[in-house]
Amino acid sequence: MKRRVFVAVFGGFVLLTCISPVFGQQSGKVEAVAKISLVGRGNGPIEVRDAEGKILQILSPADLRLNQAPAHVVERERAYREKRREKAAATHERRKKERRVAVEKAAELAHVAEEERIAGEEEAARIAAEQGEKPKNPYRVRRKTVRRNIVEPEAGATGTAAPKARL
């Protein structure tokens, strides 16, 4: 059994060593590269030449665009942008409506506050009129303090007094 396994492994190794150069010569050593050169200047036409210098094709700048995206990617991006535009427009309309509602609510609150202020003034006027008819309560008289500026005789001509030091 060991001998058969050994022969099979050895035979496989020999087979791989014989076959690998054949496949290597077919794919690895022969270069399948075509050399071309592009000749052009500015926005003018571009000449495509092969290795011998023979003109293969003349391209206009409109025909040649570097890093051009595939059509399905362009379509996907266009759809994405359109969706974002629609979403932005909907958000703009929603915010506009919210602002309009907030302004209406603020105007309504201002109107209610004005009505309450007018009602409060009328109530204060009514209470003042009622209190004017009633006799005043002598026990609720409030004392008022009067503050006066004392002018020293030297500074009496100018009307300003020098600051007095407090003790």
Side-chain angles (χ1 to χ4, degrees):
M1 184 75 176
K2 287 183 180 180
R3 189 173 180 199
R4 286 186 183 169
V5 172
F6 179 72
V7 170
V9 171
F10 185 70
F13 180 70
V14 170
L15 181 67
L16 284 176
T17 358
C18 295
I19 293 176
S20 63
V22 173
F23 285 116
Q25 285 178 356
Q26 287 180 357
S27 62
K29 298 203 176 186
V30 175
E31 292 185 18
V33 177
K35 295 186 180 183
I36 60 169
S37 63
L38 302 172
V39 180
R41 200 178 276 208
N43 290 332
I46 300 168
E47 297 176 352
V48 180
R49 297 179 182 251
D50 62 358
E52 299 169 357
K54 186 172 144 185
I55 297 176
L56 299 175
Q57 190 175 7
I58 298 176
L59 301 171
S60 68
D63 296 335
L64 198 68
R65 197 169 123 197
L66 298 176
N67 299 329
Q68 188 172 1
H72 72 280
V73 173
V74 173
E75 182 62 28
R76 184 179 64 212
E77 285 293 317
R78 188 195 60 71
Y80 174 72
R81 286 191 187 111
E82 185 63 30
K83 184 178 176 183
R84 292 217 29 207
R85 268 191 221 107
E86 290 172 0
K87 195 173 185 179
T91 303
H92 178 69
E93 287 298 320
R94 181 180 49 83
R95 288 182 180 165
K96 190 175 176 182
K97 186 177 180 182
E98 287 173 357
R99 278 188 229 116
R100 184 176 42 80
V101 167
V103 166
E104 289 173 359
K105 188 180 256 185
E108 183 180 326
L109 289 174
H111 182 68
V112 168
E114 182 67 20
E115 286 178 353
E116 288 177 358
R117 185 187 64 81
I118 291 171
E121 287 177 358
E122 289 174 354
E123 183 68 21
R126 186 185 59 79
I127 290 174
E130 287 176 1
Q131 286 180 352
E133 297 169 1
K134 295 179 183 176
K136 291 186 176 179
N137 188 347
Y139 297 107
R140 297 192 69 178
V141 174
R142 224 176 131 186
R143 294 178 71 189
K144 293 183 180 177
T145 56
V146 178
R147 297 183 186 195
R148 296 186 187 116
N149 290 334
I150 300 173
V151 179
E152 293 183 13
E154 307 92 50
T158 60
T160 59
K164 211 175 196 183
R166 292 187 182 188
L167 299 175

